[in-house]
Amino acid sequence: MSANPNQLYLPAGSAADGVFDLVVTPESAGWGYSSLRVLTLAAGVAVTVDTGEDEMIVLPLSGGCAVTVDGNTFRLTGRTGVFDAATDFAYLPRDCSATLLSADGAVIALPGAKAARALPFRYGPASGVPVELRGAGACSRQVNNFAIPAAFETDKLIACEVITPAGNWSSYPPHKHDEVSETESELEEIYYYAFRSNAPTGQGARAGGYQRVYGTADRPIEVLEEVGDGDVVLIPHGWHGPAVAAPGHDMYYLNVMAGPAAERAWLISDDPDHGWIRQTWEDQAVDPRLPFYETSEGETT
């Protein structure tokens, strides 16, 4: 893929298509596997999603919905918003047609990946989502590992949610996963952003933060973008990080990853110029603003 920042940064609304607020396909991204769609469901209006060659997860960002495939229905409780709770979800296999219906309206993300196997239509409870507190000090963030390899079976798709308190650095130290080695797996990645402003009512501009991506001498890539609600950054390769939450603005991003390996794994290499920062965390406390909410796991790590 050409490392063109105009292709790698998608402002909110720029990749809308039909009923979808956002559509990123392997074809539109210029890569092989990872995809993401975001859909606003009007109350009482059913929408049909055909997965084609992709497996997908129905992930409520706000609100809940019923998901029906071949006469079988899972009712997703969902949540009021991404900063308020982890959510239940439904897995859609490739080559299926799913009907989504919300009684009160909802915003739904559909992270996906090209899949070789058709796994069963399944339900993922919120109580089964492993919640991790990663980093320390100003690098503290919360990770909801709902579809990482150890938590939920898919064919290719790896996905998680990261929530970062205002002013903190996330996705740090910069790292990459773009080659096959003992320490890396080859994965394309999508970042989908949302923010919550802590400004007093009636004050404050657009909530936002910043995303950095840079490459190697052999594979150059350069992205440095201000990001806001609904914005997307595509990472075909290269070091990525930090993702910085501006002071006063809590930051959420949905990570969607997939790649060609037969074994589904999420292995990363730190940029050697910055990886040392991990050792400093041993003497620092996790940001006391975390976790953002009480989790059903009862404990975070």
Side-chain angles (χ1 to χ4, degrees):
M1 175 178 180
S2 171
N4 181 339
N6 293 325
Q7 296 173 340
L8 302 178
Y9 168 61
L10 305 176
S14 65
D17 188 3
V19 298
F20 294 98
D21 306 324
L22 169 73
V23 177
V24 175
T25 65
E27 293 75 22
S28 69
W31 57 34
Y33 294 90
S34 301
S35 66
L36 176 63
R37 293 165 175 80
V38 175
L39 171 67
T40 298
L41 288 175
V45 179
V47 172
T48 298
V49 175
D50 295 315
T51 59
E53 295 181 323
D54 287 8
E55 59 184 348
M56 297 181 186
I57 284 177
V58 181
L59 183 78
L61 300 178
S62 63
C65 69
V67 185
T68 302
V69 174
D70 293 333
N72 298 310
T73 299
F74 293 127
R75 300 191 182 279
L76 305 184
T77 301
R79 53 191 167 183
T80 54
V82 294
F83 295 99
D84 302 319
T87 185
D88 52 354
F89 58 92
Y91 174 86
L92 304 180
R94 59 166 291 164
D95 301 316
C96 85
S97 181
T99 300
L100 280 54
L101 179 64
S102 176
D104 301 313
V107 179
I108 305 295
L110 294 159
K114 294 288 184 188
R117 296 182 297 152
L119 298 173
F121 175 45
R122 282 169 292 148
Y123 175 76
S127 61
V129 175
V131 176
E132 171 189 7
L133 299 189
R134 191 176 295 173
C139 294
S140 302
R141 61 272 200 190
Q142 175 179 328
V143 185
N144 298 342
N145 289 310
F146 68 95
I148 67 169
F152 190 81
E153 183 185 9
T154 69
D155 185 51
K156 297 288 187 184
L157 176 62
I158 298 172
C160 67
E161 300 178 302
V162 182
I163 315 175
T164 306
N168 283 8
W169 284 39
S170 195
S171 196
Y172 196 77
H175 56 279
K176 72 181 183 74
H177 39 69
D178 60 13
E179 57 185 307
V180 179
S181 70
E182 292 184 358
T183 57
E184 281 188 45
S185 45
E186 185 181 351
L187 298 167
E188 313 144 350
E189 186 163 13
I190 302 169
Y191 277 63
Y192 171 83
Y193 282 95
F195 289 85
R196 179 175 66 181
S197 175
N198 297 311
T201 302
Q203 297 185 34
R206 182 180 92 136
Y210 294 87
Q211 167 80 60
R212 177 81 169 104
V213 184
Y214 58 99
T216 62
D218 293 337
R219 303 180 76 188
I221 185 173
E222 285 291 338
V223 178
L224 176 58
E225 292 288 351
E226 180 180 0
V227 289
D229 278 334
D231 289 357
V232 167
V233 174
L234 307 179
I235 304 173
H237 59 84
W239 308 107
H240 42 287
V244 182
H249 305 300
D250 298 321
M251 177 175 70
Y252 163 97
Y253 52 86
L254 171 62
N255 281 150
V256 183
M257 294 168 278
E263 180 182 358
R264 179 171 163 251
W266 184 13
L267 303 177
I268 68 167
S269 292
D270 289 338
D271 181 336
D273 288 338
H274 300 282
W276 60 268
I277 197 71
R278 292 186 187 274
Q279 279 65 60
T280 71
W281 297 343
E282 297 172 5
D283 300 320
Q284 298 180 55
V286 173
D287 191 312
R289 292 174 290 180
L290 294 174
F292 271 80
Y293 40 78
E294 204 167 312
T295 72
S296 54
E297 296 286 287
E299 186 175 317
T300 56
T301 58

